[in-house]
């Protein structure tokens, strides 16, 4: 795949003797292909890449959140010296139209032009928000993803989905806008709160369930202990490999069945939980944990997997400190209504992602609403 000069500079391994080399994986999308860099500590490489861009006369701007700015102070001081920074409030509530306006105003105030480069430094909220701003501002400028959470590394930073939430539902406003590079530096995960790390593991479990039985077995045999688990770098890379392959085959989620929609395993339930509970009540990965259990129960009810497989999914989700049911009752009909506003609705019919077996998923549109209601009740939803 041809890469332009900017990406070739990103791909250079500027590694001193005795330091673990940087690994790369390409997301293959023709002239919009881009590298994902993996390493124990990419701060030196990122610093050098930023300096190259500045030396070339490019206007750069960093979008982050307040918590990441504080937790990664050394990275900001080293890598982004001299680059203007906007820090939005932390949390899902920042993924909204008012913060999108604030980011665009920031880019305009810093005179970022069409050659400009936006650096999204943070978790999924920052990546989605800054990425959508980059897609919208001046009708599209380049951006890099610098994920600082496990969830962003294994899922949201790769693939080019950007957007914000509405009161009506999750990610209802957005754009497909691929980054020009993604930087996965394992060291930044060491400052991640345990709850945030667990939320990221939900997306790891999801990836194994939809496309790699061996990956699922790896986390089922022994729960990932945290950012210093020696298996984690390989797990992150494998998740990115799977997502890159899916995105290459169905970038804009237009396949009649399967395709990129498979990456939404558990998410139809999860997005409804987030919308009805109020954004921020559940971390996205926590809602996905419940959603994976729901998807497993739906798959069993459709005769695709057995009860033993459902119990295995529930056990693995719980082993990673994720909820397997609603923490408190939510109104059943509000959850059903939220599902109907989901992006995956086609011609009024809701598409679910189900498991044909552990490690293999498919999409289904023939799911009876009463069956879905029964699953919600089992998860703890309340009548009304």
């Amino acid at each position: 795949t041809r890469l332009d000069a900017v990406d070739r500079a990103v791909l250079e391994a500027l590694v001193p003797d005795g330091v673990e080399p940087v690994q790369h994986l390409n997301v293959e999308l023709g002239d919009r292909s881009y590298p994902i860099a993996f390493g124990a500590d990419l701060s030196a490489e990122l610093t050098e890449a930023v300096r190259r861009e500045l030396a070339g006369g490019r206007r750069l701007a960093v979008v982050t959140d307040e918590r990441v700015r504080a937790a990664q102070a050394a990275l900001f001081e080293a890598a982004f010296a001299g680059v203007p920074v906007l820090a939005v409030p932390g949390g899902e509530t920042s993924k909204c139209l008012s913060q999108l306006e604030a980011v665009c105003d920031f880019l305009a105030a810093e005179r970022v032009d069409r050659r400009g480069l936006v650096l999204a430094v943070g978790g999924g909220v920052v990546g989605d928000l800054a990425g959508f701003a980059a897609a919208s501002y001046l009708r599209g400028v380049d951006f890099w993803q610098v994920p600082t959470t496990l969830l962003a590394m294994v899922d949201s930073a790769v693939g080019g989905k950007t957007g914000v939430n509405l009161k009506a539902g999750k990610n209802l406003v957005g754009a497909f806008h691929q980054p020009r590079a993604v930087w996965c530096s394992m060291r930044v995960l060491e400052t991640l709160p345990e709850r945030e790390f667990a939320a990221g593991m939900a997306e790891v479990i999801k990836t194994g369930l939809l496309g790699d039985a061996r990956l699922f077995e790896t986390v089922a045999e022994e729960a990932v202990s945290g950012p210093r688990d020696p298996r984690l770098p390989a797990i992150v890379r494998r998740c990115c490999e799977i997502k890159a392959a899916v995105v290459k085959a169905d970038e804009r989620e237009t396949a009649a069945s399967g395709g990129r929609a498979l990456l939404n395993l558990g998410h139809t339930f999860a997005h409804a939980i987030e919308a009805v509970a109020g954004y921020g009540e559940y971390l996205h990965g926590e809602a996905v944990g419940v959603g994976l259990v729901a998807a497993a129960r739906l798959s069993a009810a459709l005769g695709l997997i057995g009860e033993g497989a459902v119990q295995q999914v529930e056990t693995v989700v719980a082993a990673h400190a994720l909820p397997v049911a609603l923490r408190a009752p939510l109104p059943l009909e509000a959850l059903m209504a939220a599902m109907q506003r989901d992006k995956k609705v086609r011609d009024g019919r809701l598409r679910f992602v189900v498991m044909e077996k552990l490690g293999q998923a498919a999409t289904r549109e023939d799911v009876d609403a009463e069956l879905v209601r029964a699953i919600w009740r089992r998860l703890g939803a309340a009548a009304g």
Side-chain angles (χ1 to χ4, degrees):
T1 300
R2 184 186 66 79
L3 296 175
D4 62 22
V6 171
D7 291 335
R8 290 189 185 281
V10 170
L11 283 167
E12 289 184 6
L14 304 171
V15 186
D17 291 341
V19 177
E20 178 184 344
V22 178
Q23 297 182 11
H24 298 97
L25 168 70
N26 276 353
V27 180
E28 302 287 357
L29 293 169
D31 62 1
R32 293 174 299 106
S33 298
Y34 55 93
I36 308 172
F38 303 90
D41 183 0
L42 298 181
S43 57
E45 291 75 25
L46 182 58
T47 299
E48 180 63 23
V50 168
R51 288 175 181 170
R52 284 173 182 265
E53 300 301 326
L54 292 172
R58 220 171 180 193
R59 299 195 76 88
L60 274 60
V62 172
V63 179
T64 187
D65 73 40
E66 294 165 350
R67 293 182 293 199
V68 172
R69 180 74 183 271
Q72 301 296 333
L75 176 65
F76 276 84
E77 184 177 346
F80 310 127
V83 179
V85 177
L86 173 67
V88 302
E92 188 76 23
T93 54
S94 282
K95 196 171 154 179
C96 63
L97 290 171
S98 62
Q99 288 298 335
L100 174 66
E101 181 181 17
V103 174
C104 290
D105 284 342
F106 164 67
L107 299 179
E110 296 300 334
R111 295 181 294 140
V112 174
D113 58 26
R114 284 181 172 171
R115 285 193 64 248
L117 177 65
V118 177
L119 292 91
V121 184
V125 168
V126 166
D128 284 3
L129 173 65
F132 187 31
S136 307
Y137 180 71
L138 299 180
R139 297 187 175 90
V141 298
D142 288 347
F143 83 112
W144 288 354
Q145 289 272 18
V146 186
T148 61
T149 67
L150 178 61
L151 188 148
M153 285 186 187
V154 301
D155 186 60
S156 62
V158 178
K161 278 190 175 181
T162 70
V164 296
N165 305 327
L166 299 179
K167 290 180 181 178
K170 180 103 168 178
N171 298 328
L172 293 185
V173 179
F176 288 95
H177 189 55
Q178 299 291 344
R180 298 303 297 163
V182 181
W183 303 81
C184 293
S185 182
M186 296 296 107
R187 181 162 295 178
V188 300
L189 299 180
E190 294 181 8
T191 63
L192 203 59
E194 291 182 4
R195 185 182 175 194
E196 291 276 0
F197 185 86
M201 284 304 303
E203 295 288 356
V204 173
I205 297 166
K206 175 207 78 173
T207 303
L209 286 172
L210 70 88
D212 190 336
R214 176 177 283 185
L215 174 61
F216 178 73
E217 290 166 4
T218 296
V219 299
E221 289 170 359
E222 182 181 354
V224 176
S225 60
R228 296 188 179 185
D229 190 306
R231 299 171 295 164
L232 189 61
I235 287 172
V236 170
R237 183 184 176 93
R238 181 58 183 147
C239 288
C240 290
E241 287 174 345
I242 293 170
K243 185 158 190 183
V246 172
V247 170
K248 177 184 177 182
D250 183 27
E251 180 183 0
R252 293 179 175 265
E253 204 169 308
T254 56
S257 63
R260 188 165 182 168
L262 297 179
L263 297 172
N264 290 306
L265 178 63
H267 283 56
T268 303
F269 291 95
H271 288 170
I273 292 169
E274 290 179 272
V276 175
Y279 293 116
E281 183 66 26
Y282 286 78
L283 295 179
H284 175 62
E286 292 172 336
V288 169
V290 180
L292 292 175
V293 174
R297 288 180 175 162
L298 176 60
S299 302
L302 294 171
L304 300 173
I305 62 174
E307 185 60 30
V310 176
Q311 291 304 313
Q312 190 174 3
V313 171
E314 184 168 332
T315 298
V316 173
V317 170
H320 287 88
L322 292 163
V324 296
L326 297 174
R327 294 190 182 119
L330 294 174
L332 174 58
E333 293 309 317
L335 291 165
M336 294 295 293
M339 280 182 152
Q340 287 300 322
R341 294 189 292 267
D342 190 88
K343 303 190 308 302
K344 293 178 288 301
V345 171
R346 273 190 187 176
D347 301 324
R349 293 184 299 176
L350 185 57
R351 286 200 301 168
F352 287 88
V353 184
V354 295
M355 286 169 264
E356 297 179 322
K357 61 182 180 180
L358 300 186
Q360 182 176 312
T363 53
R364 291 281 292 264
E365 295 183 355
D366 58 345
V367 177
D368 183 75
E370 288 308 311
L371 176 56
V372 178
R373 285 188 173 89
I375 291 170
W376 275 124
R377 292 188 189 98
R378 190 165 178 183
L379 292 173

